[in-house]
Amino acid sequence: MTLRKAVDCAMPALLLPLMAYALIGEAFHEVAGMAMLGLFLLHLWQNRAWLKSIAKGRQSPARILRTLCSLTLLAAAIAQAGSGIAMSGHLFPFLPTSGMAADARAVHLACGSWLFVLMAFHAGLHGRKLLPQLGRKLTGPALPAVCACLAAVALYGAEAFAARGMPGHMFLQTAFAFFDYDEPLLCFFADHAAIFLLFALAGHVTQQAVEWSSLRKCRSSGDGQSGRKLP
Ligand code: HEM
Ligand code: HEM
């Protein structure tokens, strides 16, 4: 496994325990949060060519979508790490940030859920890079069976997304995250994995739809016959 793949897998894997803040312990959360920040920086460094060429070349709708998602994700990641560090009582207790605790808490709660949703959507937009072989390997009756399973898990994810109050966190309608201390950690992880899959699928389907509509426009304007590569 390349370092790039390892980082791509480690980020969603670490995201699940991070979302379980009170269930895994505050000190562990802060250490895991800093590790996640390290992964974000490594991932950005691995994609530094993107930053240099952000405004260059043809801006296809699919590329614009990926850029908008990456920039929003970047903003959410900065806000999440910054607000976490400002509230930190274990790793950075010496910071003179006690006056901003209430604001930092609101930002951390809202951005935590936005970050989760955007990371999944972004992973879905880049699905072909993450799992390049999957599309080719899935043929015959396996294809509808896998699609049906994914749809069922995503449907469950939609239910868990609402039941866990994530829309309320995202739009600052709730001031605190509720944690059920009797809930097995595995149930928490399973629900969040299903929510992640829901938004990753949404990202993948959106990417396919945007590319398909670009292809149609190209074909109807005659460009498709020139064999030009699409976004
Ligand atoms: C679930 C976690 C994540 C996964 C699986 C993931 C995966 C990927 C993949 C596969 C690429 C394409 C790389 C290539 O072109 O070879 C990419 C690009 C990129 N990622 Fe991530 N990423 C994740 C989280 C993040 C986060 C949190 C940020 C921001 C802090 C971020 C920022 C970017 C940027 C700026 C690019 C290049 C621009 C683009 O093509 O959209 N990613 N990511
Ligand atoms: C980067 C990924 C991170 C994610 C996804 C994340 C997620 C969360 C979530 C879901 C909560 C519970 C909701 C809340 O009460 O706000 C929380 C709370 C908290 N996090 Fe993070 N966090 C991250 C990074 C960090 C970092 C880097 C630190 C500090 C070094 C940190 C420190 C805290 C603290 C102190 C709380 C308790 C807030 C309170 O008193 O209500 N977090 N985090």
Side-chain angles (χ1 to χ4, degrees):
M1 188 190 271
T2 60
L3 178 64
R4 185 180 279 275
K5 277 260 171 338
V7 173
D8 288 351
C9 293
M11 281 187 288
L14 195 56
L15 190 59
L16 299 185
L18 273 170
M19 296 304 287
Y21 167 70
L23 305 180
I24 57 157
E26 293 169 24
F28 178 81
H29 177 84
E30 291 189 16
V31 174
M34 292 311 289
M36 184 66 122
L37 179 59
L39 289 174
F40 287 167
L41 293 175
L42 193 55
H43 184 66
L44 284 172
W45 183 76
Q46 288 171 330
N47 287 294
R48 62 195 179 283
W50 168 81
L51 260 182
K52 287 187 200 146
S53 61
I54 193 164
K56 293 183 193 149
R58 194 171 94 86
Q59 299 289 339
S60 65
R63 186 175 168 196
I64 293 171
L65 176 69
R66 282 196 299 268
T67 303
L68 284 180
C69 182
S70 291
L71 289 177
T72 327
L73 182 54
L74 189 55
I78 293 170
Q80 189 67 3
S83 56
I85 290 170
M87 285 187 298
S88 156
H90 294 274
L91 296 183
F92 308 98
F94 48 85
L95 289 178
T97 48
S98 54
M100 52 174 84
D103 290 339
R105 182 165 294 124
V107 169
H108 204 71
L109 181 62
C111 284
S113 295
W114 276 109
L115 188 69
F116 188 91
V117 165
L118 286 167
M119 267 169 88
F121 196 80
H122 167 85
L125 287 181
H126 288 286
R128 234 178 279 139
K129 282 246 164 79
L130 287 169
L131 298 164
Q133 326 83 333
L134 197 66
R136 265 171 271 136
K137 278 191 185 154
L138 277 181
T139 47
L143 186 62
V146 169
C147 288
C149 288
L150 289 178
V153 177
L155 211 63
Y156 175 78
E159 207 268 326
F161 178 67
R164 290 193 176 265
M166 280 175 86
H169 297 165
M170 292 166 83
F171 296 101
L172 287 172
Q173 279 155 359
T174 38
F176 289 98
F178 168 76
F179 290 99
D180 174 2
Y181 290 89
D182 294 328
E183 178 182 23
L185 211 48
L186 216 59
C187 289
F188 186 95
F189 288 165
D191 272 19
H192 281 77
I195 302 172
F196 193 92
L197 181 84
L198 167 72
F199 286 100
L201 280 181
H204 182 65
V205 169
T206 309
Q207 172 80 14
Q208 302 282 48
V210 169
E211 283 183 4
W212 185 73
S213 105
S214 301
L215 187 66
R216 267 183 58 139
K217 270 196 203 132
C218 255
R219 285 221 174 112
S220 61
S221 65
D223 269 12
Q225 274 139 34
S226 65
R228 193 152 61 91
K229 202 172 172 277
L230 277 160

